Amino acid sequence: MENGTVLDHIPAENVYKALDLLDLKDIESQITIGINLASKIHGKKGIIKIADIFFEDEELNKLALIAPNATVNVIRDFKVVEKKKLTTPAEVIGIAKCKNPKCVTNHQPIKTRFKTIDNGNDVSLLCRYCEKITDSK
């Protein structure tokens, strides 16, 4: 790839979720997706290559919810010019759904809002409205 972004070390089962989180389904750029690729660390991994698209850190950090160990490679002129590690955002707004069926966000037109709880290889979400903990996956 001449220019673009490579998202690597995504858990294989979360590749399609990553496409949704970054809203990549309707873009016109070339996207290459690999699923169930061999990984020494994870056994199986996924990879997404997006030509001519570059992301802000805030957008990329959403991926930490489903792929905390993912890496991001920025490619320019066929060379990796930058490698980034994801950082779990402190707050997540409007992405996940609260698992509490009685939560106001499940009955009213209110955007969900969660505080993230980083447990190493897993991230949980604490609902701002009902204070229930939801798994980010």
Side-chain angles (χ1 to χ4, degrees):
M1 179 167 57
E2 184 176 356
N3 295 298
T5 305
V6 177
L7 310 172
D8 198 2
H9 302 289
I10 301 168
E13 66 274 10
N14 290 339
V15 170
Y16 292 112
K17 289 179 185 176
L19 292 168
D20 285 339
L21 273 177
L22 294 175
D23 202 23
L24 296 174
K25 291 192 174 182
D26 296 322
I27 67 167
E28 305 238 346
S29 295
Q30 182 182 34
I31 300 176
T32 304
I33 301 169
I35 301 174
N36 295 327
L37 304 172
S39 169
K40 292 177 186 173
I41 298 169
H42 305 292
K44 293 187 294 186
K45 72 174 182 175
I47 189 169
I48 303 172
K49 298 179 180 183
I50 309 110
D52 302 317
I53 298 287
F54 302 95
F55 298 94
E56 296 294 326
D57 287 346
E58 185 177 303
E59 289 178 281
L60 290 172
N61 286 335
K62 293 180 205 174
L63 284 179
L65 300 173
I66 60 167
N69 297 316
T71 57
V72 179
N73 297 310
V74 177
I75 313 292
R76 293 194 193 276
D77 296 322
F78 300 102
K79 294 179 184 164
V80 176
V81 295
E82 186 178 3
K83 283 185 170 264
K84 299 179 181 183
K85 283 296 246 177
L86 300 177
T87 304
T88 304
E91 187 175 49
V92 177
I93 300 169
I95 295 175
K97 180 179 177 181
C98 184
K99 76 174 186 177
N100 179 4
K102 294 182 180 181
C103 182
V104 68
T105 61
N106 289 318
H107 300 286
Q108 300 292 325
I110 299 171
K111 279 189 176 183
T112 57
R113 191 176 208 125
F114 297 94
K115 176 184 176 194
T116 58
I117 303 167
D118 194 343
N119 303 318
N121 285 343
D122 194 28
V123 177
S124 298
L125 304 172
L126 177 65
C127 181
R128 176 181 180 182
Y129 301 102
C130 71
E131 298 186 346
K132 295 288 182 189
I133 293 177
T134 298
D135 183 2
S136 67
K137 295 175 183 174

